[in-house]
Amino acid sequence: MSLRKAGANWVDGDRFYNRGEELEVLSERARDGIHTLITAPRRMGKTSLVRELLRRLAEEGTFETIFVDLEDASDPADAIAEIGAQSRSLKGAWRRIRLGFSNALKEIGGRVDNVSISELQVQLRAGIAAGNQWRKGDDIIAALAENNQRVVLAIDELPIFVSRLLRENGDDITTEGKRATDKFLSWLRKNAQRHRGRIVLIVSGSVGLEPILRQAGLSAQVNIFAPCDLKPWSEDTASSCLAELAEAYGLGLPPDIRMAMCRRLRCHVPHHIQQFFGYLHEHLRRENRTRASLNDVDQVYENEMLSVRGQVDLEHYQGRLRVVLRTEEYRVALELLTEAAVGGGLLSDDVIDQYSRHLRAEVKAGAHPVIIEDVLYLLEHDGYLERQSGGYRFISGLLEDWWSVRYGQNFIPIMSR
Ligand SMILES: Nc1ncnc2c1ncn2[C@@H]1O[C@H](COP(=O)(O)OP(=O)(O)OP(=O)(O)O)[C@@H](O)[C@H]1O
Ligand SMILES: [Mg+2]
């Protein structure tokens, strides 16, 4: 079947391209009972990779699978109820879980198999009293471990959830937040170890978990996970993906055109490849043509990818930074990225030193301290910037251009202030 265009959401099946090696590694780990933490910058295809893996494992009939998204979970009981609700599709485990929550489920009685997962989650959540969430959680995971078939439990957006716990929905990491996070991760870890071989965990998220835990001094909590670092596509892979899409939609996209598209992006984030193709396709359709030229590539890049409409993804990059940084750190992160954008893609060590001095002066004047190394660590770890001699550089040409268009205009670099 030919490759179809993607929407804004994750893809699997006939919209999923490449990543054969990663799928192979993850299948093998699942068979060997090894838990995984998937790390990669925004929009690299983490959720899609996990969804496609689950689809294939279910198709092979080797595992039953659950996908849990913790983006909206507000506390551990919420997260546990979400795991419980998503387990409804597992025949063996669900019988036991249902029994354990029989009181809470009375109200929806006979409708329990027909209500939406979110309604089911609410009912299960109501059945978890303050203080007994860990026991309820243990019961749910034990039910999964006793399921007829082995279970792969994928947890997406764990870092967002952890970040929320740490900050108790405020700006600063609190002692209580640290305690709650530590407890939740200990619970997860204990269960992952206890049921090793019966349950395999795959954790992912649109922000890196390590920088968040590092801020809280809780890094050791995730050492049960083997990392899987999802890389951008190589130019060859990105170009072949474009070729397949072009063929599926009857477009002429010769190799030099595809190469020009890849070079513009510099870093071949699957979502950006898809976005570029989508805009080019629309552009050619408007002009009633099917063959793209280099001029089309330039036009679509400048007028569509960098347009306000094209920048929706920029909001995503920015929004995720906001989630994991304190207000002052976030402000510094935005400035550093803008310095890099207006500095021809490079954030020089001199500029960084100047910011350090400036921040120290602000602290003396009573401001909240910001550790610039922490901000840079996050920007590097989460794939915004990479270290190179003399400073840091934007990895993605697209992100650099977006940043420059959005913030570059009225910005006065620190060296000129
Ligand atoms: N293997 C793939 N084949 C084709 N397109 C892909 C693939 N992986 C990702 N994409 C494209 O990237 C988009 C984002 O994918 P996905 O949501 O899986 O990324 P993510 O890394 O989970 O993003 P986020 O950082 O926002 O969580 C998809 O809509 C699709 O356009
Ligand atoms: Mg995702």
Side-chain angles (χ1 to χ4, degrees), residues 372-399:
I372 202 160
E373 288 76 16
D374 284 354
V375 176
L376 285 167
Y377 175 82
L378 180 93
L379 293 176
E380 192 178 4
H381 181 279
D382 275 15
Y384 291 74
L385 300 175
E386 66 188 342
R387 182 80 199 150
Q388 63 155 231
S389 76
Y392 289 83
R393 211 184 143 62
F394 265 104
I395 297 175
S396 159
L398 178 61
L399 191 57

PDB file of all heavy atoms in Angstrom, residues 372-399:
ATOM      1  N   ILE A 372      22.324  29.413  34.071  1.00  0.00           N
ATOM      2  CA  ILE A 372      22.307  29.390  32.615  1.00  0.00           C
ATOM      3  C   ILE A 372      22.718  28.009  32.077  1.00  0.00           C
ATOM      4  O   ILE A 372      22.207  27.541  31.058  1.00  0.00           O
ATOM      5  CB  ILE A 372      23.198  30.532  32.054  1.00  0.00           C
ATOM      6  CG1 ILE A 372      22.768  30.859  30.631  1.00  0.00           C
ATOM      7  CG2 ILE A 372      24.652  30.209  32.125  1.00  0.00           C
ATOM      8  CD1 ILE A 372      23.209  32.220  30.178  1.00  0.00           C
ATOM      9  N   GLU A 373      23.600  27.332  32.821  1.00  0.00           N
ATOM     10  CA  GLU A 373      24.031  25.991  32.379  1.00  0.00           C
ATOM     11  C   GLU A 373      22.845  25.028  32.346  1.00  0.00           C
ATOM     12  O   GLU A 373      22.773  24.160  31.479  1.00  0.00           O
ATOM     13  CB  GLU A 373      25.118  25.419  33.309  1.00  0.00           C
ATOM     14  CG  GLU A 373      26.488  26.067  33.182  1.00  0.00           C
ATOM     15  CD  GLU A 373      26.559  27.433  33.851  1.00  0.00           C
ATOM     16  OE1 GLU A 373      25.656  27.754  34.661  1.00  0.00           O
ATOM     17  OE2 GLU A 373      27.508  28.191  33.544  1.00  0.00           O
ATOM     18  N   ASP A 374      21.931  25.186  33.308  1.00  0.00           N
ATOM     19  CA  ASP A 374      20.746  24.307  33.336  1.00  0.00           C
ATOM     20  C   ASP A 374      19.867  24.550  32.116  1.00  0.00           C
ATOM     21  O   ASP A 374      19.322  23.616  31.520  1.00  0.00           O
ATOM     22  CB  ASP A 374      19.900  24.557  34.598  1.00  0.00           C
ATOM     23  CG  ASP A 374      20.542  23.936  35.839  1.00  0.00           C
ATOM     24  OD1 ASP A 374      21.567  23.237  35.684  1.00  0.00           O
ATOM     25  OD2 ASP A 374      20.028  24.168  36.950  1.00  0.00           O
ATOM     26  N   VAL A 375      19.738  25.824  31.779  1.00  0.00           N
ATOM     27  CA  VAL A 375      18.899  26.167  30.623  1.00  0.00           C
ATOM     28  C   VAL A 375      19.545  25.596  29.347  1.00  0.00           C
ATOM     29  O   VAL A 375      18.884  24.977  28.517  1.00  0.00           O
ATOM     30  CB  VAL A 375      18.721  27.701  30.515  1.00  0.00           C
ATOM     31  CG1 VAL A 375      17.935  28.054  29.264  1.00  0.00           C
ATOM     32  CG2 VAL A 375      18.020  28.246  31.754  1.00  0.00           C
ATOM     33  N   LEU A 376      20.845  25.773  29.238  1.00  0.00           N
ATOM     34  CA  LEU A 376      21.549  25.266  28.054  1.00  0.00           C
ATOM     35  C   LEU A 376      21.502  23.734  27.992  1.00  0.00           C
ATOM     36  O   LEU A 376      21.355  23.151  26.925  1.00  0.00           O
ATOM     37  CB  LEU A 376      23.014  25.734  28.066  1.00  0.00           C
ATOM     38  CG  LEU A 376      23.195  27.207  27.695  1.00  0.00           C
ATOM     39  CD1 LEU A 376      24.608  27.670  28.022  1.00  0.00           C
ATOM     40  CD2 LEU A 376      22.888  27.440  26.213  1.00  0.00           C
ATOM     41  N   TYR A 377      21.605  23.108  29.168  1.00  0.00           N
ATOM     42  CA  TYR A 377      21.531  21.643  29.218  1.00  0.00           C
ATOM     43  C   TYR A 377      20.195  21.180  28.642  1.00  0.00           C
ATOM     44  O   TYR A 377      20.122  20.261  27.836  1.00  0.00           O
ATOM     45  CB  TYR A 377      21.687  21.158  30.662  1.00  0.00           C
ATOM     46  CG  TYR A 377      21.492  19.660  30.830  1.00  0.00           C
ATOM     47  CD1 TYR A 377      22.544  18.775  30.556  1.00  0.00           C
ATOM     48  CD2 TYR A 377      20.272  19.132  31.230  1.00  0.00           C
ATOM     49  CE1 TYR A 377      22.359  17.402  30.689  1.00  0.00           C
ATOM     50  CE2 TYR A 377      20.082  17.772  31.372  1.00  0.00           C
ATOM     51  CZ  TYR A 377      21.124  16.905  31.100  1.00  0.00           C
ATOM     52  OH  TYR A 377      20.940  15.551  31.230  1.00  0.00           O
ATOM     53  N   LEU A 378      19.124  21.869  29.055  1.00  0.00           N
ATOM     54  CA  LEU A 378      17.797  21.490  28.558  1.00  0.00           C
ATOM     55  C   LEU A 378      17.704  21.730  27.042  1.00  0.00           C
ATOM     56  O   LEU A 378      17.222  20.867  26.301  1.00  0.00           O
ATOM     57  CB  LEU A 378      16.704  22.289  29.265  1.00  0.00           C
ATOM     58  CG  LEU A 378      15.333  21.884  28.744  1.00  0.00           C
ATOM     59  CD1 LEU A 378      14.725  20.795  29.606  1.00  0.00           C
ATOM     60  CD2 LEU A 378      14.401  23.037  28.593  1.00  0.00           C
ATOM     61  N   LEU A 379      18.186  22.878  26.598  1.00  0.00           N
ATOM     62  CA  LEU A 379      18.084  23.193  25.164  1.00  0.00           C
ATOM     63  C   LEU A 379      18.893  22.202  24.328  1.00  0.00           C
ATOM     64  O   LEU A 379      18.519  21.848  23.214  1.00  0.00           O
ATOM     65  CB  LEU A 379      18.556  24.624  24.895  1.00  0.00           C
ATOM     66  CG  LEU A 379      17.663  25.726  25.481  1.00  0.00           C
ATOM     67  CD1 LEU A 379      18.270  27.109  25.244  1.00  0.00           C
ATOM     68  CD2 LEU A 379      16.253  25.660  24.886  1.00  0.00           C
ATOM     69  N   GLU A 380      19.993  21.733  24.914  1.00  0.00           N
ATOM     70  CA  GLU A 380      20.819  20.769  24.194  1.00  0.00           C
ATOM     71  C   GLU A 380      20.173  19.384  24.260  1.00  0.00           C
ATOM     72  O   GLU A 380      20.007  18.706  23.246  1.00  0.00           O
ATOM     73  CB  GLU A 380      22.221  20.739  24.802  1.00  0.00           C
ATOM     74  CG  GLU A 380      23.211  19.983  23.939  1.00  0.00           C
ATOM     75  CD  GLU A 380      24.626  19.996  24.506  1.00  0.00           C
ATOM     76  OE1 GLU A 380      24.839  20.527  25.623  1.00  0.00           O
ATOM     77  OE2 GLU A 380      25.521  19.452  23.828  1.00  0.00           O
ATOM     78  N   HIS A 381      19.787  18.996  25.473  1.00  0.00           N
ATOM     79  CA  HIS A 381      19.212  17.667  25.637  1.00  0.00           C
ATOM     80  C   HIS A 381      17.955  17.497  24.798  1.00  0.00           C
ATOM     81  O   HIS A 381      17.712  16.445  24.222  1.00  0.00           O
ATOM     82  CB  HIS A 381      18.882  17.412  27.112  1.00  0.00           C
ATOM     83  CG  HIS A 381      18.300  16.054  27.344  1.00  0.00           C
ATOM     84  ND1 HIS A 381      16.973  15.780  27.107  1.00  0.00           N
ATOM     85  CD2 HIS A 381      18.859  14.891  27.729  1.00  0.00           C
ATOM     86  CE1 HIS A 381      16.744  14.505  27.348  1.00  0.00           C
ATOM     87  NE2 HIS A 381      17.872  13.940  27.739  1.00  0.00           N
ATOM     88  N   ASP A 382      17.124  18.537  24.723  1.00  0.00           N
ATOM     89  CA  ASP A 382      15.856  18.417  24.011  1.00  0.00           C
ATOM     90  C   ASP A 382      15.967  18.772  22.524  1.00  0.00           C
ATOM     91  O   ASP A 382      14.954  18.944  21.845  1.00  0.00           O
ATOM     92  CB  ASP A 382      14.770  19.247  24.709  1.00  0.00           C
ATOM     93  CG  ASP A 382      14.111  18.448  25.843  1.00  0.00           C
ATOM     94  OD1 ASP A 382      14.684  17.411  26.231  1.00  0.00           O
ATOM     95  OD2 ASP A 382      13.046  18.864  26.335  1.00  0.00           O
ATOM     96  N   GLY A 383      17.203  18.901  22.058  1.00  0.00           N
ATOM     97  CA  GLY A 383      17.409  18.972  20.610  1.00  0.00           C
ATOM     98  C   GLY A 383      17.185  20.323  19.959  1.00  0.00           C
ATOM     99  O   GLY A 383      16.998  20.394  18.748  1.00  0.00           O
ATOM    100  N   TYR A 384      17.217  21.409  20.735  1.00  0.00           N
ATOM    101  CA  TYR A 384      17.097  22.733  20.117  1.00  0.00           C
ATOM    102  C   TYR A 384      18.465  23.164  19.577  1.00  0.00           C
ATOM    103  O   TYR A 384      18.594  23.604  18.456  1.00  0.00           O
ATOM    104  CB  TYR A 384      16.625  23.775  21.137  1.00  0.00           C
ATOM    105  CG  TYR A 384      15.196  23.593  21.588  1.00  0.00           C
ATOM    106  CD1 TYR A 384      14.845  22.567  22.457  1.00  0.00           C
ATOM    107  CD2 TYR A 384      14.192  24.443  21.144  1.00  0.00           C
ATOM    108  CE1 TYR A 384      13.534  22.394  22.869  1.00  0.00           C
ATOM    109  CE2 TYR A 384      12.876  24.280  21.547  1.00  0.00           C
ATOM    110  CZ  TYR A 384      12.554  23.247  22.414  1.00  0.00           C
ATOM    111  OH  TYR A 384      11.256  23.068  22.812  1.00  0.00           O
ATOM    112  N   LEU A 385      19.463  23.036  20.459  1.00  0.00           N
ATOM    113  CA  LEU A 385      20.803  23.510  20.109  1.00  0.00           C
ATOM    114  C   LEU A 385      21.796  22.373  20.242  1.00  0.00           C
ATOM    115  O   LEU A 385      21.556  21.420  20.991  1.00  0.00           O
ATOM    116  CB  LEU A 385      21.229  24.632  21.066  1.00  0.00           C
ATOM    117  CG  LEU A 385      20.357  25.888  21.119  1.00  0.00           C
ATOM    118  CD1 LEU A 385      20.865  26.842  22.207  1.00  0.00           C
ATOM    119  CD2 LEU A 385      20.342  26.598  19.769  1.00  0.00           C
ATOM    120  N   GLU A 386      22.909  22.479  19.511  1.00  0.00           N
ATOM    121  CA  GLU A 386      23.994  21.514  19.742  1.00  0.00           C
ATOM    122  C   GLU A 386      25.283  22.274  19.952  1.00  0.00           C
ATOM    123  O   GLU A 386      25.479  23.359  19.418  1.00  0.00           O
ATOM    124  CB  GLU A 386      24.109  20.509  18.591  1.00  0.00           C
ATOM    125  CG  GLU A 386      24.543  21.103  17.277  1.00  0.00           C
ATOM    126  CD  GLU A 386      24.451  20.099  16.140  1.00  0.00           C
ATOM    127  OE1 GLU A 386      24.393  18.886  16.409  1.00  0.00           O
ATOM    128  OE2 GLU A 386      24.453  20.536  14.976  1.00  0.00           O
ATOM    129  N   ARG A 387      26.144  21.660  20.748  1.00  0.00           N
ATOM    130  CA  ARG A 387      27.415  22.282  21.065  1.00  0.00           C
ATOM    131  C   ARG A 387      28.312  22.223  19.840  1.00  0.00           C
ATOM    132  O   ARG A 387      28.349  21.213  19.137  1.00  0.00           O
ATOM    133  CB  ARG A 387      28.049  21.487  22.224  1.00  0.00           C
ATOM    134  CG  ARG A 387      29.355  21.998  22.727  1.00  0.00           C
ATOM    135  CD  ARG A 387      29.166  23.173  23.662  1.00  0.00           C
ATOM    136  NE  ARG A 387      30.416  23.910  23.753  1.00  0.00           N
ATOM    137  CZ  ARG A 387      30.528  25.206  23.976  1.00  0.00           C
ATOM    138  NH1 ARG A 387      29.476  25.950  24.171  1.00  0.00           N
ATOM    139  NH2 ARG A 387      31.702  25.785  24.025  1.00  0.00           N
ATOM    140  N   GLN A 388      28.975  23.313  19.546  1.00  0.00           N
ATOM    141  CA  GLN A 388      30.040  23.253  18.547  1.00  0.00           C
ATOM    142  C   GLN A 388      31.113  24.231  18.965  1.00  0.00           C
ATOM    143  O   GLN A 388      30.916  24.962  19.938  1.00  0.00           O
ATOM    144  CB  GLN A 388      29.498  23.535  17.142  1.00  0.00           C
ATOM    145  CG  GLN A 388      28.920  24.909  16.960  1.00  0.00           C
ATOM    146  CD  GLN A 388      28.985  25.316  15.504  1.00  0.00           C
ATOM    147  OE1 GLN A 388      29.472  26.376  15.195  1.00  0.00           O
ATOM    148  NE2 GLN A 388      28.522  24.476  14.610  1.00  0.00           N
ATOM    149  N   SER A 389      32.243  24.216  18.283  1.00  0.00           N
ATOM    150  CA  SER A 389      33.324  25.036  18.814  1.00  0.00           C
ATOM    151  C   SER A 389      32.884  26.504  18.848  1.00  0.00           C
ATOM    152  O   SER A 389      32.322  27.011  17.884  1.00  0.00           O
ATOM    153  CB  SER A 389      34.588  24.855  17.985  1.00  0.00           C
ATOM    154  OG  SER A 389      34.461  25.559  16.802  1.00  0.00           O
ATOM    155  N   GLY A 390      33.100  27.123  19.995  1.00  0.00           N
ATOM    156  CA  GLY A 390      32.772  28.547  20.135  1.00  0.00           C
ATOM    157  C   GLY A 390      31.351  28.840  20.560  1.00  0.00           C
ATOM    158  O   GLY A 390      30.980  30.003  20.712  1.00  0.00           O
ATOM    159  N   GLY A 391      30.523  27.806  20.744  1.00  0.00           N
ATOM    160  CA  GLY A 391      29.160  28.093  21.192  1.00  0.00           C
ATOM    161  C   GLY A 391      28.175  26.970  20.922  1.00  0.00           C
ATOM    162  O   GLY A 391      28.535  25.799  20.901  1.00  0.00           O
ATOM    163  N   TYR A 392      26.925  27.353  20.735  1.00  0.00           N
ATOM    164  CA  TYR A 392      25.861  26.391  20.443  1.00  0.00           C
ATOM    165  C   TYR A 392      25.164  26.811  19.155  1.00  0.00           C
ATOM    166  O   TYR A 392      25.030  28.003  18.886  1.00  0.00           O
ATOM    167  CB  TYR A 392      24.809  26.391  21.563  1.00  0.00           C
ATOM    168  CG  TYR A 392      25.280  25.789  22.852  1.00  0.00           C
ATOM    169  CD1 TYR A 392      26.016  26.548  23.757  1.00  0.00           C
ATOM    170  CD2 TYR A 392      24.991  24.470  23.175  1.00  0.00           C
ATOM    171  CE1 TYR A 392      26.450  26.002  24.956  1.00  0.00           C
ATOM    172  CE2 TYR A 392      25.409  23.918  24.373  1.00  0.00           C
ATOM    173  CZ  TYR A 392      26.141  24.694  25.256  1.00  0.00           C
ATOM    174  OH  TYR A 392      26.560  24.152  26.444  1.00  0.00           O
ATOM    175  N   ARG A 393      24.670  25.802  18.428  1.00  0.00           N
ATOM    176  CA  ARG A 393      24.052  26.075  17.140  1.00  0.00           C
ATOM    177  C   ARG A 393      22.672  25.443  17.051  1.00  0.00           C
ATOM    178  O   ARG A 393      22.424  24.380  17.617  1.00  0.00           O
ATOM    179  CB  ARG A 393      24.950  25.422  16.079  1.00  0.00           C
ATOM    180  CG  ARG A 393      24.983  26.088  14.796  1.00  0.00           C
ATOM    181  CD  ARG A 393      25.805  25.340  13.784  1.00  0.00           C
ATOM    182  NE  ARG A 393      25.125  25.501  12.514  1.00  0.00           N
ATOM    183  CZ  ARG A 393      24.942  26.675  11.927  1.00  0.00           C
ATOM    184  NH1 ARG A 393      25.425  27.777  12.449  1.00  0.00           N
ATOM    185  NH2 ARG A 393      24.272  26.755  10.798  1.00  0.00           N
ATOM    186  N   PHE A 394      21.750  26.086  16.374  1.00  0.00           N
ATOM    187  CA  PHE A 394      20.448  25.469  16.095  1.00  0.00           C
ATOM    188  C   PHE A 394      20.677  24.197  15.292  1.00  0.00           C
ATOM    189  O   PHE A 394      21.415  24.204  14.306  1.00  0.00           O
ATOM    190  CB  PHE A 394      19.600  26.402  15.227  1.00  0.00           C
ATOM    191  CG  PHE A 394      18.669  27.269  16.004  1.00  0.00           C
ATOM    192  CD1 PHE A 394      18.955  28.615  16.202  1.00  0.00           C
ATOM    193  CD2 PHE A 394      17.494  26.751  16.521  1.00  0.00           C
ATOM    194  CE1 PHE A 394      18.088  29.433  16.915  1.00  0.00           C
ATOM    195  CE2 PHE A 394      16.615  27.557  17.234  1.00  0.00           C
ATOM    196  CZ  PHE A 394      16.916  28.892  17.434  1.00  0.00           C
ATOM    197  N   ILE A 395      20.036  23.123  15.703  1.00  0.00           N
ATOM    198  CA  ILE A 395      20.161  21.883  14.936  1.00  0.00           C
ATOM    199  C   ILE A 395      19.280  21.946  13.692  1.00  0.00           C
ATOM    200  O   ILE A 395      19.699  21.584  12.603  1.00  0.00           O
ATOM    201  CB  ILE A 395      19.768  20.670  15.813  1.00  0.00           C
ATOM    202  CG1 ILE A 395      20.749  20.572  16.988  1.00  0.00           C
ATOM    203  CG2 ILE A 395      19.768  19.381  14.994  1.00  0.00           C
ATOM    204  CD1 ILE A 395      20.407  19.491  17.987  1.00  0.00           C
ATOM    205  N   SER A 396      18.071  22.459  13.870  1.00  0.00           N
ATOM    206  CA  SER A 396      17.142  22.490  12.740  1.00  0.00           C
ATOM    207  C   SER A 396      17.176  23.850  12.055  1.00  0.00           C
ATOM    208  O   SER A 396      17.020  24.890  12.689  1.00  0.00           O
ATOM    209  CB  SER A 396      15.726  22.207  13.269  1.00  0.00           C
ATOM    210  OG  SER A 396      14.754  22.672  12.359  1.00  0.00           O
ATOM    211  N   GLY A 397      17.363  23.815  10.733  1.00  0.00           N
ATOM    212  CA  GLY A 397      17.334  25.054   9.966  1.00  0.00           C
ATOM    213  C   GLY A 397      15.960  25.694  10.038  1.00  0.00           C
ATOM    214  O   GLY A 397      15.819  26.915  10.093  1.00  0.00           O
ATOM    215  N   LEU A 398      14.931  24.844  10.059  1.00  0.00           N
ATOM    216  CA  LEU A 398      13.564  25.354  10.110  1.00  0.00           C
ATOM    217  C   LEU A 398      13.302  26.079  11.427  1.00  0.00           C
ATOM    218  O   LEU A 398      12.765  27.180  11.451  1.00  0.00           O
ATOM    219  CB  LEU A 398      12.571  24.199   9.922  1.00  0.00           C
ATOM    220  CG  LEU A 398      11.098  24.565  10.003  1.00  0.00           C
ATOM    221  CD1 LEU A 398      10.709  25.573   8.918  1.00  0.00           C
ATOM    222  CD2 LEU A 398      10.223  23.315   9.900  1.00  0.00           C
ATOM    223  N   LEU A 399      13.723  25.453  12.518  1.00  0.00           N
ATOM    224  CA  LEU A 399      13.485  26.078  13.831  1.00  0.00           C
ATOM    225  C   LEU A 399      14.233  27.414  13.905  1.00  0.00           C
ATOM    226  O   LEU A 399      13.710  28.413  14.407  1.00  0.00           O
ATOM    227  CB  LEU A 399      13.925  25.128  14.950  1.00  0.00           C
ATOM    228  CG  LEU A 399      13.500  25.531  16.356  1.00  0.00           C
ATOM    229  CD1 LEU A 399      11.992  25.684  16.468  1.00  0.00           C
ATOM    230  CD2 LEU A 399      13.985  24.501  17.383  1.00  0.00           C
TER     231      LEU A 399
END
